Amino acid sequence: MTLKETTYKKIYEINYPKVMRLCMGYTGGNDVLAKDLTQETFIKVWKNLDTFRNESGIATWIYRICVNTCLAEIRREKKEEKKLQIDDLQISESSEDPVEKEDMLFQLYKCINQLSSTNKAIILLELEDVPQQEISEIIGIKHDAIRTRIHRIKQQLTKCANHE
């Protein structure tokens, strides 16, 4: 196994779960599409690993590739995009029932999908516990603006999830 292959394998093992969750957020929980986008992200990582310049952390670089891959997919699907019908779901906020919790998660994904592409990227990275400074670098917006946006996005998602 070459050094590049060994390095890539380690990068893949460490970052796959995070990239997959990020893709799940972008696809509204569509497992098949999320797996495709995750695979596409790691193909790009493999092809461009030699060009990584260590100007940021490897995870930041991979997140940027992932976000760009997901945004490109969204642009491709935009033509056939359907309006989301969130009023059809009634969600109990304090339920212990696994089915209702899954419905709540589905509702959250629907609300996230209504955000602008930039806000969607910000909140999905925030949900992945990516430090806000790093989100700032990935998105290309000042750190203070990221903090403000995250607060506003959370308010917006709360209203959406509660059908307000």
Side-chain angles (χ1 to χ4, degrees):
M1 195 178 272
T2 67
L3 179 61
K4 181 180 178 181
E5 290 169 337
T6 306
T7 303
Y8 175 79
K9 184 177 179 185
K10 196 179 298 183
I11 289 169
Y12 180 86
E13 288 170 356
I14 291 169
N15 292 285
Y16 180 87
K18 297 172 190 174
V19 170
M20 180 63 183
R21 285 190 301 267
L22 189 58
C23 290
M24 284 290 283
Y26 270 103
T27 63
N30 181 334
D31 190 54
V32 174
L33 182 56
K35 285 178 181 175
D36 286 347
L37 292 171
T38 300
Q39 182 177 13
E40 193 174 329
T41 297
F42 281 104
I43 289 170
K44 290 175 183 177
V45 168
W46 170 257
K47 286 180 178 177
N48 296 294
L49 193 55
D50 296 333
T51 64
F52 177 64
R53 297 183 304 256
N54 284 317
E55 292 174 0
S56 64
I58 189 82
T60 302
W61 180 68
I62 292 170
Y63 275 131
R64 183 167 287 243
I65 291 171
C66 181
V67 167
N68 289 337
T69 301
C70 291
L71 291 176
E73 177 63 23
I74 289 168
R75 283 190 289 274
R76 281 192 293 270
E77 289 184 351
K78 206 92 164 157
K79 294 174 187 171
E80 56 193 65
E81 186 177 281
K82 300 171 189 165
K83 287 284 179 193
L84 299 170
Q85 300 297 323
I86 62 170
D87 297 331
D88 297 338
L89 287 176
Q90 297 299 319
I91 294 175
S92 169
E93 294 171 5
S94 60
S95 175
E96 293 299 317
D97 180 12
V99 173
E100 286 190 41
K101 283 187 177 184
E102 189 174 318
D103 286 346
M104 288 173 61
L105 186 59
F106 182 72
Q107 176 68 17
L108 179 61
Y109 279 135
K110 287 175 104 175
C111 293
I112 288 171
N113 277 330
Q114 294 178 347
L115 297 172
S116 70
S117 59
T118 302
N119 284 352
K120 183 188 287 190
I122 291 168
I123 198 64
L124 290 172
L125 290 167
E126 173 75 7
L127 291 171
E128 278 299 315
D129 293 324
V130 174
Q132 290 181 359
Q133 185 62 47
E134 196 172 325
I135 294 172
S136 171
E137 293 170 22
I138 293 168
I139 303 297
I141 297 175
K142 291 182 180 179
H143 182 241
D144 289 340
I146 290 291
R147 285 194 357 242
T148 302
R149 278 211 195 186
I150 288 171
H151 177 73
R152 289 181 181 153
I153 293 166
K154 285 180 179 178
Q155 288 177 327
Q156 190 177 350
L157 289 175
T158 300
K159 285 182 180 178
C160 176
N162 292 325
H163 303 292
E164 294 176 8

